[in-house]
Amino acid sequence: MENVIELNNVTKSFKGFELKDLSISVKKGFVTGFIGGNGVGKSTTIKLIMNLLRPDSGEVSLFGMNYREHEKEIKQRIGFVFDNNILYENITLSEMKRIIKPAYKNWDDTIFQHYVNLFELPLKKQIKTFSKGMLMKASLTFALSHHAELIIMDEPTSGLDPIFRRELLDILHDIMQDGEKTIFFSTHITTDLDRIADYITFIHNGQHIFTKEHYKIEEDYAIVKGETNLLDRDTEREFIGIRRSNYGFEALTMNRQRTQNIFGNTVILEKPTLEDIMLYTKKGNDNYVESYS
Amino acid sequence: MLNLIRKDIVLQKNTLLILLPLLFLDSFLDGSRIYVGILFSIAIVMQSFATDEKPSVHYLMNSLPYTRKEIVSSKYAGACVFSFLVMLTILIGNLVVTKELVPWEQLLFIAGVVAVFISLAFPFSYLFKSQYLMIASIVLFVLYMIVVSKFIPDLNDRIREAVRTLLSLDHSLLYGGAVLSVILLYIFSWMLSVRIYSRKVF
């Protein structure tokens, strides 16, 4: 299967933060959700993919091309949405269009008009008067108006009301229908991913934890509930993270079948949500750090 | 590239619509064309530069299919366009009021001073921020005042004298040399800014 985005052993360090040996690939024709907590490197990764940052080492390639030689060709094929407003504030939407349109060879005025009508965006009002939702709609309109093959979005649903969040997901679902487009987006709101994501990429503390097909996650991972006396040094190793309470323990395993074989009927296995996975991975990592520091 | 220059003109539309007619009106007064021309050119060029300095604009421009080299180059080319517009306005204003052409040496002098200013200001602003330019110029101004009051009391007169001599010279070699060095400085500054900007993290 063709990869649209490939990061190979990418390292980027800042003061107090580092992306370590990150290798991620995003498959063509699918929606990949990009999850992880605050400050674990999601935005940095997206900036590396957009060439807003350059890696200290490692390779970033899009559509099989690198930025060093094909920067403009790559960017022609990307539509982008950032979580904060990047449009000029003191001009109107139609003036903004006059600025962005000439940058793209495949700009399509009918699509632009279609989304402007759909989102009821005012063309003659200054962009600084737009609400957060309108700004997001405007950015999305620009991202979709030049037949981009890859749509990259950084937290597009944060700060949006639930109704527009659903509308947005429906629109994204619609544009995926021809099988030619690819969407890569980061989010905190993991329930959004249940609706549209085919793949989930999860990073934690600058490291790639997994990229899996969405349905596979429920097959592999499980929340395990049982009595605390089942836990000892050996059985604890089976889990990514453990939460103890007076009534027993709750833990996350990444090998449902194995856990089932070990504990049999003494524990209850439940389907985890993405939030469970994020939470226990963080817990597990923190414990690891604690016990070794 | 042309798109980026056109973008700057679209963004500075209001500034131009206010400043250029004002400049035209100024032709009716008996002021110094040279100082006014330099001031207006620099004001418009730096206004245009400052508009694009927000991190959000860097994100936008660098996510659009432009290279960092093009983004910087467009600012240098755009500065020439803005200065040209200012000088054109002065030229037309004078033609209307005095029915005479502005001496070309004066226009050349304006262009030269503006080019030298930009050559220094752009790399500085790409490295830091144009808002610190104000602080830097205040520091320079204070130093200048100290020099004037303590060491060379007639510095102002000397500069004025030097400018006058320079303009009254009809030594074509001297002109040629000055023009060439300003152009070289401008090109050097442009290359320096490209280097600074391509390493910038925003």
Side-chain angles (χ1 to χ4, degrees):
Chain A
M1 216 177 320
E2 206 179 327
N3 288 332
V4 172
I5 304 175
E6 270 184 43
L7 270 69
N8 291 322
N9 311 106
V10 167
T11 300
K12 178 84 197 172
S13 48
F14 299 105
K15 269 180 211 146
F17 174 73
E18 191 184 17
L19 281 183
K20 288 163 239 145
D21 204 22
L22 193 70
S23 296
I24 293 178
S25 54
V26 175
K27 293 191 168 51
K28 187 182 172 180
F30 294 98
V31 177
T32 300
F34 187 36
I35 58 171
N38 282 324
V40 299
K42 291 198 304 294
S43 290
T44 304
T45 307
I46 288 190
K47 283 180 191 170
L48 286 164
I49 294 173
M50 296 291 303
N51 200 30
L52 296 172
L53 284 176
R54 261 151 239 189
D56 297 338
S57 66
E59 280 289 317
V60 177
S61 72
L62 280 91
F63 311 104
M65 298 184 281
N66 64 35
Y67 272 112
R68 235 171 301 112
E69 289 151 36
H70 304 281
E71 173 153 22
K72 292 173 86 169
E73 290 105 303
I74 294 172
K75 286 178 178 173
Q76 282 285 348
R77 294 159 75 176
I78 300 179
F80 53 88
V81 174
F82 290 104
D83 62 337
N84 50 347
N85 175 38
I86 58 163
L87 304 175
Y88 286 103
E89 291 183 333
N90 292 324
I91 58 174
T92 65
L93 193 60
S94 68
E95 282 170 325
M96 195 68 222
K97 186 189 105 176
R98 277 174 59 199
I99 289 173
I100 291 184
K101 177 183 170 176
Y104 290 109
K105 288 183 201 138
N106 294 329
W107 182 269
D108 192 331
D109 263 333
T110 33
I111 301 183
F112 181 81
Q113 205 51 51
H114 166 77
Y115 285 114
V116 166
N117 295 340
L118 181 73
F119 295 144
E120 297 171 351
L121 291 169
L123 283 167
K124 299 284 169 215
K125 264 192 181 168
Q126 289 212 330
I127 290 174
K128 67 177 168 204
T129 64
F130 283 21
S131 67
K132 170 113 188 161
M134 285 159 80
L135 286 170
M136 166 61 214
K137 289 174 182 178
S139 293
L140 190 66
T141 303
F142 285 117
L144 297 177
S145 295
H146 57 95
H147 297 283
E149 293 159 56
L150 170 63
I151 316 277
I152 295 175
M153 297 184 283
D154 191 7
E155 307 274 355
T157 51
S158 71
L160 296 180
D161 68 67
I163 298 162
F164 179 58
R165 255 180 30 226
R166 290 238 185 147
E167 279 175 12
L168 171 70
L169 297 173
D170 286 343
I171 290 165
L172 296 181
H173 187 262
D174 286 346
I175 63 170
M176 288 306 291
Q177 292 312 308
D178 63 1
E180 288 300 310
K181 291 198 166 58
T182 307
I183 296 179
F184 182 71
F185 76 105
S186 68
T187 183
H188 284 309
I189 305 168
T190 50
T191 47
D192 289 346
L193 297 170
D194 295 335
R195 290 175 192 280
I196 60 163
D198 303 301
Y199 286 88
I200 304 290
T201 292
F202 177 31
I203 65 168
H204 186 72
N205 284 347
Q207 279 176 314
H208 182 220
I209 307 291
F210 64 73
T211 296
K212 277 179 193 288
E213 280 156 288
H214 197 181
Y215 75 89
K216 281 277 271 185
I217 292 172
E218 286 186 354
E219 288 180 4
D220 293 349
Y221 284 81
I223 291 285
V224 184
K225 287 178 178 170
E227 295 197 2
T228 323
N229 58 20
L230 291 169
L231 293 176
D232 57 39
R233 199 171 281 222
D234 287 328
T235 52
E236 277 181 18
R237 282 208 198 125
E238 294 297 314
F239 303 121
I240 293 169
I242 302 169
R243 224 168 69 187
R244 291 180 175 82
S245 71
N246 293 336
Y247 307 103
F249 77 93
E250 205 181 287
L252 181 78
T253 172
M254 64 179 288
N255 197 332
R256 189 189 181 100
Q257 199 53 52
R258 219 173 106 106
T259 308
Q260 179 91 63
N261 295 343
I262 292 172
F263 293 97
N265 287 331
T266 55
V267 294
I268 304 167
L269 296 181
E270 286 176 1
K271 278 186 183 173
T273 60
L274 289 171
E275 274 174 36
D276 290 331
I277 295 173
M278 285 166 70
L279 177 73
Y280 281 103
T281 306
K282 182 173 184 310
K283 250 181 137 40
N285 271 32
D286 291 350
N287 285 343
Y288 181 81
V289 171
E290 263 167 40
S291 55
Y292 285 85
S293 58
Chain B
M1 244 275 281
L2 281 176
N3 296 333
L4 287 168
I5 299 171
R6 206 169 60 186
K7 173 214 81 178
D8 282 346
I9 295 174
V10 170
L11 287 173
Q12 299 313 318
K13 200 180 56 191
N14 291 337
T15 315
L16 291 175
L17 283 177
I18 294 168
L19 287 188
L20 291 184
L22 210 63
L23 188 61
F24 182 79
L25 286 179
D26 183 75
S27 310
F28 292 94
L29 302 172
D30 224 7
S32 163
R33 276 193 293 262
I34 292 180
Y35 285 127
V36 170
I38 292 171
L39 193 70
F40 273 66
S41 303
I42 290 177
I44 296 173
V45 169
M46 289 320 288
Q47 166 78 20
S48 165
F49 190 93
T51 311
D52 278 1
E53 250 184 338
K54 279 190 241 159
S56 60
V57 178
H58 289 305
Y59 286 144
L60 174 66
M61 286 305 140
N62 285 283
S63 301
L64 289 171
Y66 297 119
T67 60
R68 291 194 179 198
K69 194 176 169 186
E70 286 176 322
I71 294 168
V72 173
S73 306
S74 77
K75 284 278 173 251
Y76 277 82
C80 297
V81 174
F82 285 130
S83 309
F84 175 76
L85 286 176
V86 167
M87 288 191 281
L88 192 69
T89 312
I90 293 178
L91 200 70
I92 295 172
N94 264 274
L95 209 58
V96 170
V97 177
T98 62
K99 309 272 180 290
E100 273 172 31
L101 279 176
V102 181
W104 63 270
E105 293 93 335
Q106 288 193 3
L107 293 179
L108 201 65
F109 186 75
I110 295 176
V113 172
V114 172
V116 169
F117 176 84
I118 291 167
S119 303
L120 301 175
F122 275 14
F124 178 90
S125 307
Y126 276 121
L127 198 59
F128 307 106
K129 252 186 167 177
S130 71
Q131 66 192 79
Y132 300 131
L133 215 54
M134 190 70 180
I135 297 166
S137 26
I138 290 170
V139 171
L140 279 179
F141 181 71
V142 170
L143 287 178
Y144 176 80
M145 290 307 274
I146 293 172
V147 169
V148 167
S149 59
K150 296 278 178 213
F151 305 105
I152 320 166
D154 61 341
L155 189 62
N156 274 324
D157 298 324
R158 284 199 206 178
I159 291 176
R160 217 169 286 140
E161 195 55 43
V163 168
R164 207 171 293 139
T165 352
L166 204 69
L167 287 180
S168 61
L169 275 175
D170 59 352
H171 214 283
S172 54
L173 200 66
L174 187 88
Y175 270 119
V179 168
L180 195 68
S181 16
V182 169
I183 290 175
L184 283 178
L185 178 68
Y186 203 68
I187 292 173
F188 173 75
S189 159
W190 165 60
M191 290 189 327
L192 183 66
S193 292
V194 169
R195 270 183 89 83
I196 294 172
Y197 192 65
S198 49
R199 290 176 187 183
K200 201 175 166 85
V201 174
F202 28 75

